[in-house]
Coordinates of all heavy atoms in Angstrom, one line a residue:
L125 N 11.4 13.0 -22.9 CA 11.0 14.4 -22.3 C 10.1 15.1 -23.3 O 10.1 16.3 -23.4 CB 12.3 15.2 -22.3 CG 13.3 14.6 -21.1 CD1 14.5 15.5 -21.0 CD2 12.5 14.6 -19.7
G126 N 9.4 14.4 -24.1 CA 8.3 15.0 -25.0 C 8.7 15.4 -26.3 O 8.1 16.1 -26.9
Q127 N 9.9 15.0 -26.7 CA 10.5 15.5 -28.0 C 9.5 15.2 -29.2 O 9.6 16.0 -30.1 CB 12.0 15.0 -28.2 CG 12.2 13.6 -28.0 CD 12.6 13.2 -26.7 OE1 12.1 13.7 -25.7 NE2 13.6 12.2 -26.6
F128 N 8.9 14.1 -29.1 CA 7.9 13.7 -30.2 C 6.5 13.9 -29.9 O 5.7 14.0 -30.8 CB 8.2 12.4 -30.7 CG 9.7 12.0 -31.1 CD1 10.4 11.0 -30.5 CD2 10.3 13.0 -32.1 CE1 11.7 10.7 -30.9 CE2 11.8 12.6 -32.3 CZ 12.4 11.6 -31.7
T129 N 6.2 13.9 -28.6 CA 4.7 13.9 -28.0 C 4.2 15.2 -28.7 O 3.0 15.2 -29.1 CB 4.8 13.9 -26.6 OG1 5.7 12.8 -26.1 CG2 3.4 13.7 -26.1
T130 N 4.9 16.3 -28.6 CA 4.2 17.6 -29.0 C 3.9 17.6 -30.5 O 3.0 18.1 -30.9 CB 5.2 18.8 -28.6 OG1 6.5 18.5 -29.1 CG2 5.2 18.9 -27.0
V131 N 4.9 17.0 -31.2 CA 4.7 16.9 -32.7 C 3.5 16.1 -33.0 O 2.8 16.6 -33.9 CB 6.0 16.4 -33.4 CG1 5.8 16.4 -34.9 CG2 7.2 17.4 -33.1
L132 N 3.4 14.9 -32.4 CA 2.2 14.1 -32.7 C 1.1 14.7 -32.3 O 0.0 14.7 -33.1 CB 2.5 12.8 -32.0 CG 3.6 11.9 -32.3 CD1 3.9 10.8 -31.4 CD2 3.3 11.3 -33.8
A133 N 0.9 15.3 -31.2 CA -0.2 16.1 -30.6 C -0.8 17.1 -31.5 O -2.0 17.4 -31.7 CB 0.0 16.7 -29.2
R134 N 0.1 17.8 -32.3 CA -0.3 19.0 -33.1 C -1.1 18.3 -34.4 O -1.6 19.1 -35.2 CB 0.8 19.7 -33.4 CG 1.3 20.6 -32.3 CD 2.3 21.7 -32.7 NE 2.7 22.5 -31.7 CZ 3.7 22.2 -30.9 NH1 4.5 21.3 -31.0 NH2 4.0 23.1 -29.8
Q135 N -0.9 17.1 -34.7 CA -1.3 16.6 -35.8 C -2.4 15.5 -35.7 O -3.1 15.0 -36.7 CB -0.3 15.9 -36.8 CG 0.8 16.9 -37.2 CD 1.9 16.4 -38.0 OE1 1.6 15.7 -38.9 NE2 3.1 16.7 -37.8
A136 N -2.7 15.1 -34.4 CA -3.6 14.0 -34.0 C -4.7 14.5 -33.3 O -4.7 15.6 -32.8 CB -2.9 12.8 -33.3
R137 N -5.8 13.7 -33.2 CA -6.9 13.9 -32.2 C -6.5 13.9 -30.8 O -6.9 14.7 -30.0 CB -8.0 13.0 -32.6 CG -9.3 13.4 -31.7 CD -10.4 12.2 -32.1 NE -11.6 12.6 -31.2 CZ -12.4 13.6 -31.6 NH1 -12.3 14.4 -32.6 NH2 -13.6 13.7 -30.9
S138 N -5.7 12.8 -30.5 CA -5.3 12.7 -29.1 C -3.9 11.8 -29.0 O -3.7 11.1 -30.0 CB -6.3 12.0 -28.1 OG -6.7 10.8 -28.6
V139 N -3.2 12.1 -28.0 CA -2.0 11.3 -27.8 C -2.1 10.8 -26.4 O -2.1 11.5 -25.4 CB -0.7 12.1 -28.1 CG1 0.5 11.3 -27.7 CG2 -0.7 12.5 -29.5
C140 N -1.9 9.5 -26.2 CA -1.6 8.8 -24.8 C -0.1 8.6 -24.7 O 0.4 7.8 -25.7 CB -2.4 7.7 -24.6 SG -4.2 8.0 -24.4
G141 N 0.6 9.1 -23.9 CA 2.1 8.9 -23.7 C 2.3 7.9 -22.5 O 1.7 8.2 -21.5
L142 N 3.0 7.0 -22.7 CA 3.3 5.9 -21.7 C 4.9 5.9 -21.6 O 5.7 5.8 -22.4 CB 3.0 4.5 -22.0 CG 3.1 3.4 -21.1 CD1 2.2 3.7 -19.7 CD2 2.8 2.0 -21.6
E143 N 5.4 6.2 -20.3 CA 6.8 6.3 -20.0 C 7.2 5.6 -18.7 O 6.3 5.7 -17.7 CB 7.2 7.9 -19.9 CG 8.4 8.2 -19.4 CD 9.5 7.6 -20.2 OE1 9.5 7.8 -21.5 OE2 10.5 6.9 -19.6
V144 N 8.3 5.0 -18.7 CA 8.7 4.2 -17.5 C 9.3 5.0 -16.5 O 9.4 4.7 -15.3 CB 9.6 3.0 -17.8 CG1 9.0 2.1 -18.8 CG2 10.9 3.5 -18.5
V145 N 9.8 6.3 -16.8 CA 10.4 7.2 -15.8 C 9.4 8.2 -15.4 O 9.0 9.1 -16.2 CB 11.6 7.8 -16.4 CG1 12.3 8.8 -15.3 CG2 12.6 6.7 -16.8
A146 N 9.0 8.3 -14.2 CA 8.0 9.0 -13.7 C 8.2 10.6 -13.9 O 7.5 11.5 -14.4 CB 7.6 8.8 -12.3
G147 N 9.5 10.9 -13.6 CA 9.9 12.2 -13.8 C 9.9 12.8 -15.2 O 9.6 13.9 -15.4
Q148 N 10.3 12.0 -16.2 CA 10.1 12.3 -17.5 C 8.7 12.4 -18.0 O 8.4 13.4 -18.8 CB 10.9 11.3 -18.3 CG 12.3 11.2 -18.2 CD 13.1 10.3 -19.2 OE1 12.5 9.6 -19.9 NE2 14.5 10.4 -19.2
A149 N 7.8 11.6 -17.5 CA 6.4 11.8 -17.8 C 5.8 13.1 -17.2 O 5.1 13.7 -17.9 CB 5.6 10.6 -17.2
E150 N 6.3 13.5 -16.1 CA 5.8 14.7 -15.5 C 6.3 15.9 -16.4 O 5.6 16.9 -16.6 CB 6.3 14.9 -14.1 CG 5.6 14.0 -13.1 CD 6.2 14.2 -11.6 OE1 6.4 15.3 -11.3 OE2 6.2 13.2 -11.0
F151 N 7.6 15.9 -16.8 CA 8.1 16.9 -17.7 C 7.4 17.0 -19.0 O 7.0 18.1 -19.4 CB 9.7 16.7 -17.9 CG 10.3 17.9 -18.6 CD1 10.9 18.8 -18.0 CD2 10.3 17.7 -20.1 CE1 11.4 19.9 -18.7 CE2 11.0 18.7 -20.7 CZ 11.5 19.7 -20.1
T152 N 7.1 15.9 -19.6 CA 6.3 15.8 -20.9 C 5.0 16.5 -20.6 O 4.5 17.2 -21.6 CB 6.2 14.4 -21.4 OG1 7.5 13.8 -21.6 CG2 5.4 14.3 -22.6
A153 N 4.3 16.0 -19.6 CA 2.9 16.7 -19.3 C 3.1 18.2 -19.1 O 2.2 19.0 -19.8 CB 2.4 16.0 -18.1
E154 N 4.0 18.7 -18.4 CA 4.2 20.0 -18.2 C 4.6 20.7 -19.5 O 4.1 21.9 -19.8 CB 5.3 20.3 -17.2 CG 5.5 21.9 -16.9 CD 4.2 22.5 -16.3 OE1 3.3 21.8 -15.8 OE2 4.3 23.7 -16.3
R155 N 5.5 20.2 -20.4 CA 5.8 20.7 -21.6 C 4.6 20.9 -22.5 O 4.3 22.0 -23.2 CB 6.9 19.8 -22.3 CG 7.2 20.3 -23.6 CD 8.5 19.4 -24.2 NE 8.9 19.8 -25.5 CZ 9.9 19.2 -26.2 NH1 10.7 18.3 -25.5 NH2 10.3 19.6 -27.4
C156 N 3.7 19.9 -22.6 CA 2.5 19.9 -23.3 C 1.6 21.0 -22.8 O 1.0 21.8 -23.5 CB 1.8 18.5 -23.3 SG 2.8 17.3 -24.2
R157 N 1.4 21.1 -21.5 CA 0.6 22.1 -20.9 C 1.0 23.5 -21.4 O 0.2 24.3 -21.8 CB 0.5 21.9 -19.4 CG -0.5 22.9 -18.7 CD -0.3 22.9 -17.3 NE 1.0 23.6 -16.9 CZ 1.2 25.0 -16.8 NH1 0.1 25.8 -17.3 NH2 2.3 25.5 -16.6
Q158 N 2.3 23.7 -21.2 CA 2.8 25.1 -21.6 C 2.7 25.4 -23.1 O 2.7 26.5 -23.5 CB 4.4 25.1 -21.1 CG 4.4 25.2 -19.7 CD 5.9 25.3 -19.2 OE1 6.8 25.7 -20.0 NE2 6.2 24.9 -17.9
E159 N 2.6 24.4 -23.9 CA 2.5 24.6 -25.3 C 1.0 24.4 -25.7 O 0.7 24.5 -26.8 CB 3.3 23.5 -26.1 CG 4.8 23.8 -25.8 CD 5.5 22.9 -26.8 OE1 5.1 22.6 -28.0 OE2 6.8 22.6 -26.5
G160 N 0.2 24.6 -24.8 CA -1.3 24.6 -25.0 C -1.9 23.2 -25.6 O -3.0 23.4 -26.3
L161 N -1.2 22.1 -25.4 CA -1.8 20.9 -26.0 C -2.6 20.1 -25.0 O -2.1 19.5 -24.1 CB -0.5 20.1 -26.4 CG 0.4 20.6 -27.5 CD1 1.6 19.9 -27.8 CD2 -0.5 20.8 -28.9
T162 N -3.9 20.3 -25.1 CA -4.9 19.7 -24.2 C -5.3 18.3 -24.6 O -6.1 17.6 -23.9 CB -6.1 20.6 -23.9 OG1 -6.7 20.7 -25.2 CG2 -5.7 21.9 -23.4
N163 N -4.7 17.8 -25.6 CA -5.1 16.5 -26.1 C -4.1 15.5 -25.9 O -4.0 14.4 -26.6 CB -5.4 16.6 -27.7 CG -4.1 17.0 -28.5 OD1 -3.2 17.6 -28.0 ND2 -4.1 16.6 -29.9
V164 N -3.3 15.7 -24.9 CA -2.2 14.7 -24.4 C -2.6 14.3 -23.0 O -2.8 15.0 -22.1 CB -0.8 15.5 -24.4 CG1 0.2 14.4 -23.9 CG2 -0.5 15.8 -25.8
Q165 N -2.3 12.9 -22.8 CA -2.5 12.3 -21.5 C -1.5 11.3 -21.2 O -1.1 10.4 -22.0 CB -3.9 11.6 -21.6 CG -4.3 11.0 -20.1 CD -5.6 10.2 -20.2 OE1 -5.7 9.0 -20.8 NE2 -6.6 10.8 -19.8
M166 N -0.8 11.6 -20.1 CA 0.4 10.8 -19.7 C 0.1 9.7 -18.7 O -0.8 9.8 -17.8 CB 1.5 11.7 -19.1 CG 2.0 12.6 -20.2 SD 2.8 11.8 -21.6 CE 4.1 10.9 -20.7
A167 N 0.8 8.6 -18.8 CA 0.8 7.5 -17.7 C 2.3 7.1 -17.6 O 3.0 7.1 -18.5 CB -0.2 6.4 -18.1
V168 N 2.5 6.4 -16.4 CA 3.8 5.9 -16.1 C 3.5 4.4 -16.0 O 2.7 3.9 -15.2 CB 4.4 6.4 -14.8 CG1 5.7 5.6 -14.4 CG2 4.6 7.9 -14.9
G169 N 4.3 3.6 -16.8 CA 4.1 2.2 -16.8 C 4.8 1.5 -18.0 O 5.6 2.1 -18.7
G170 N 4.4 0.3 -18.2 CA 5.0 -0.5 -19.3 C 6.4 -1.2 -19.1 O 7.0 -1.8 -20.0

Side-chain angles (χ1 to χ4, degrees):
L125 295 175
Q127 50 264 40
F128 305 128
T129 314
T130 55
V131 178
L132 292 166
R134 288 191 177 92
Q135 300 185 41
R137 181 176 181 81
S138 63
V139 175
C140 287
L142 185 66
E143 171 57 51
V144 297
V145 180
Q148 291 188 350
E150 289 180 33
F151 184 88
T152 298
E154 180 62 20
R155 178 174 179 174
C156 291
R157 186 193 68 79
Q158 291 182 15
E159 296 193 21
L161 298 169
T162 59
N163 61 338
V164 176
Q165 185 179 77
M166 293 299 302
V168 175

